[in-house]
Amino acid sequence: MQWARAGGILAHPTSFPGRFGIGDLGIEAERFFDFLTSSGQRYWQTLPLGPTGYGNSPYAALSAFAGNPAVISLERLVEDQLLPESALETIPDFPTDRVEFGAVVPWKMGMLREACNRFEDHASATLRAEYANFVNENTAWLNDFALFMALKDANGQRAWVEWPARYAQRKPQALAEARRDLAADIALHTFAQFIFFRQWGRLREQAHTRGLQIIGDLAIFVAHDSCDVWSHPELFKLDEHGQPTSVAGVPPDYFSETGQRWGNPLYRWDVLAESGYSWWVERVRQALHIYDVIRLDHFRGFEAYWEVPASEATAIQGSWQPGPGIGLFAAIREKLGDVPFIAEDLGVITPGVRALQEALGFPGMRVLQFAFGGSPQNRDLPHNYIPDAVVYTGTHDNDTTHGWFAASEGHERAYALDYLLCEPEGVVQAMIRAAYSSVAALALVPLQDVFDLDTEARMNFPSRADGNWEWRFTDAALTPERAAQLKLLATVFGRYEAASA
């Protein structure tokens, strides 16, 4: 597809302001949209929106199809008369600058249970009809997901492989009994998904009304402890006990002597191919119900992926295995047409990966924080860009640009200052300007860089198991001055005109 020049901001809904301990899909999200439009932006990029489990990572969701109930707006539930106004009068004293997932999520689910009970007794005929339609249209994944979550609740949140074997192995009689015995919990999780997608649909309409498009992230792999693996074990490389026989990762490189052992189960691409990749087609179809543009995480894994024996503690003893290649995307195109994909093509990329990307016509990524450590031929330097690209100052896995520059030294630091023609205190604004002025069709900036925040605002430390995904901003940070600065850059470099055309 042809990409018009435009700009956008990367921010996850959990980072939005508000008094409920976590950002949500309500009033503050719409205020953020107002900031985007006043800034001359056309795109909002979010991280995956699935329900998170251990570690709170949106890249290790409990389902590739479901939404995260933690970002449901309680204020919208009051407006829909599914919660009384009195329910919001006493709220725990949550911090405003970060998410305490361990405290917020149980409290939020308690509020949703109250709303679910009220729905049973007080929902209007219109709302009941919407609910029935939602359940009917999403049966293919919703029934299994609601049961999975109810069983997870009943088993102390343990991973599904630790459940009694009759549930882990999906014995029909055991599942039938669970559907009967856990009916109330199943109803709660079904209701929560209905509300999530109802509120998301409203928010997406609000975005479109303002001329905004939503870019969403599609993680290539799914979590082992997920409804996807539990309900479709035949699609993954598992042993007879449901444990992975091999897992995903990346090999040793400059950044890690032992590589990265991610631990996600690997697909049986041959089995998926026999079905015309139907599970993947449906996954992308679901993503298109949520997003306007899809960023494909770890694109190189579709050409070849690093397979690590599950018995290995590190990724050293892995091997490259062929991915599905063009066959997967041909199946997606046959069923869904031309899907607007962005390829996350970072890291060591082989000629084979480049050939696949070019054959598919997916724009790739450039990251300015990666630009200054080498030679003038570095592909992340703006003078080496092509129009069919998406430039970021940094990503959710990077430090903030302020933090990155503070930690840089030697050649990288000197080259950045020379290239950007700025003083150290002006690096962040100069990086944003470099992104906007480049020929890349899309320029996307993490919200932390718009605010010029340091490392404390970093979203994710890939090498750290705890303390990630917690950053939040306050409503006061969305100032008219910052909006005016962004709009000036968008206007000067032809990105605002494209947004308003």
Side-chain angles (χ1 to χ4, degrees):
M1 63 176 288
Q2 295 296 316
W3 299 81
R5 283 179 66 78
I9 291 178
L10 166 62
H12 198 49
T14 58
S15 297
F16 291 161
R19 57 196 178 107
F20 303 107
I22 189 170
D24 60 43
L25 308 181
I27 296 169
E28 296 294 349
E30 293 187 17
R31 288 176 179 163
F32 173 66
F33 288 172
D34 291 338
F35 176 80
L36 291 182
T37 54
S38 65
S39 303
Q41 306 302 299
R42 186 176 178 183
Y43 287 93
W44 168 40
Q45 181 175 332
T46 177
L47 307 181
L49 291 167
T52 58
Y54 177 77
N56 308 307
S57 172
Y59 293 89
L62 296 169
S63 168
F65 293 80
N68 188 353
V71 298
I72 286 174
S73 167
L74 299 181
E75 291 168 314
R76 297 297 187 215
L77 289 177
V78 171
E79 290 176 6
D80 290 333
Q81 299 184 339
L82 294 176
L83 280 177
E85 291 186 16
S86 59
L88 305 186
E89 291 176 357
T90 304
I91 300 169
D93 188 20
F94 295 123
T96 58
D97 61 342
R98 60 189 176 86
V99 182
E100 288 186 347
F101 287 96
V104 169
V105 173
W107 176 78
K108 197 75 172 280
M109 290 307 299
M111 299 293 281
L112 289 174
R113 187 177 294 277
E114 181 178 345
C116 180
N117 293 337
R118 191 176 177 92
F119 177 86
E120 294 293 332
D121 299 329
H122 301 291
S124 66
T126 299
L127 200 57
R128 290 180 187 278
E130 286 185 37
Y131 176 83
N133 288 337
F134 172 80
V135 171
N136 182 59
E137 292 173 359
N138 293 278
T139 298
W141 64 267
L142 181 60
N143 287 353
D144 274 329
F145 174 74
L147 177 59
F148 173 83
M149 293 302 295
L151 283 167
K152 198 167 181 62
D153 292 343
N155 285 277
Q157 301 302 315
R158 292 194 298 273
W160 65 266
V161 289
E162 299 175 11
W163 298 349
R166 63 186 183 278
Y167 299 131
Q169 297 172 8
R170 295 176 58 84
K171 300 295 184 182
Q173 183 175 344
L175 296 190
E177 292 172 355
R179 291 188 188 281
R180 180 196 65 212
D181 297 341
L182 303 176
D185 285 339
I186 290 171
L188 168 63
H189 291 291
T190 303
F191 169 80
Q193 289 305 304
F194 165 63
I195 294 298
F196 172 90
F197 283 100
R198 187 172 188 269
Q199 290 191 357
W200 181 265
R202 170 177 173 167
L203 193 64
R204 190 180 181 190
E205 288 179 4
Q206 290 292 325
H208 291 171
T209 298
R210 292 166 169 81
L212 297 168
Q213 298 283 294
I214 300 174
I215 303 173
D217 224 345
L218 194 69
I220 181 174
F221 299 117
V222 299
H224 178 232
D225 185 25
S226 67
C227 179
D228 311 293
V229 180
W230 174 69
S231 60
H232 296 285
E234 73 282 359
L235 303 182
F236 301 88
K237 295 184 178 182
L238 308 175
D239 64 19
E240 65 274 18
H241 302 294
Q243 296 286 1
T245 56
S246 56
V247 297
V250 290
D253 57 19
Y254 173 81
F255 299 101
S256 173
E257 294 180 356
T258 59
Q260 296 179 41
R261 184 189 183 280
W262 293 337
N264 306 80
L266 293 168
Y267 297 106
R268 296 179 61 188
W269 286 114
D270 56 337
V271 174
L272 282 157
E274 291 173 0
S275 69
Y277 300 99
S278 60
W279 183 87
W280 258 94
V281 169
E282 292 310 308
R283 187 183 181 194
V284 174
R285 189 193 307 276
Q286 178 75 343
L288 289 173
H289 287 312
I290 304 173
Y291 311 125
D292 302 300
V293 179
I294 298 171
R295 172 191 172 297
L296 290 169
D297 179 56
H298 195 57
F299 177 79
R300 74 103 55 245
F302 294 106
E303 193 272 337
Y305 57 90
W306 189 247
E307 180 170 9
V308 182
S311 58
E312 293 290 326
T314 73
I316 294 176
Q317 298 300 322
S319 60
W320 288 110
Q321 299 297 326
I326 204 164
L328 168 63
F329 296 100
I332 292 171
R333 181 175 288 126
E334 179 184 354
K335 297 294 186 181
L336 305 178
D338 289 325
V339 176
F341 285 122
I342 294 170
E344 186 268 284
D345 56 346
L346 306 178
V348 179
I349 303 299
T350 65
V353 178
R354 287 280 173 244
L356 177 62
Q357 183 181 348
E358 291 172 7
L360 295 169
F362 298 164
M365 290 175 54
R366 306 289 190 273
V367 180
L368 281 168
Q369 287 186 27
F370 299 154
F372 305 106
S375 72
Q377 285 70 49
N378 187 319
R379 72 187 297 270
D380 289 296
L381 286 167
H383 67 262
N384 294 320
Y385 293 176
I386 59 174
D388 195 24
V390 184
V391 56
Y392 295 76
T393 51
T395 74
H396 64 276
D397 283 332
N398 291 93
D399 199 344
T400 66
T401 295
H402 186 121
W404 160 79
F405 185 75
S408 67
E409 54 188 22
H411 169 77
E412 183 178 38
R413 184 180 183 88
Y415 192 16
L417 292 174
D418 288 344
Y419 193 96
L420 298 169
L421 290 176
C422 68
E423 298 299 321
E425 61 272 14
V427 162
V428 176
Q429 185 64 20
M431 290 271 273
I432 296 173
R433 182 183 179 89
Y436 273 71
S437 65
S438 75
V439 298
L442 302 187
L444 299 173
V445 180
L447 190 58
Q448 293 95 318
D449 288 352
V450 174
F451 299 156
D452 197 358
L453 298 178
D454 61 19
T455 300
E456 290 188 0
R458 184 170 180 168
M459 195 65 169
N460 182 43
F461 292 77
S463 61
R464 191 171 76 182
D466 300 316
N468 295 317
W469 319 109
E470 296 179 353
W471 176 74
R472 297 180 71 200
F473 67 95
T474 62
D475 191 46
L478 300 177
T479 64
E481 291 77 16
R482 287 183 170 128
Q485 289 172 354
L486 284 174
K487 188 172 183 179
L488 176 62
L489 290 177
T491 302
V492 167
F493 295 114
R495 298 186 185 275
Y496 177 64
E497 291 179 355
S500 59

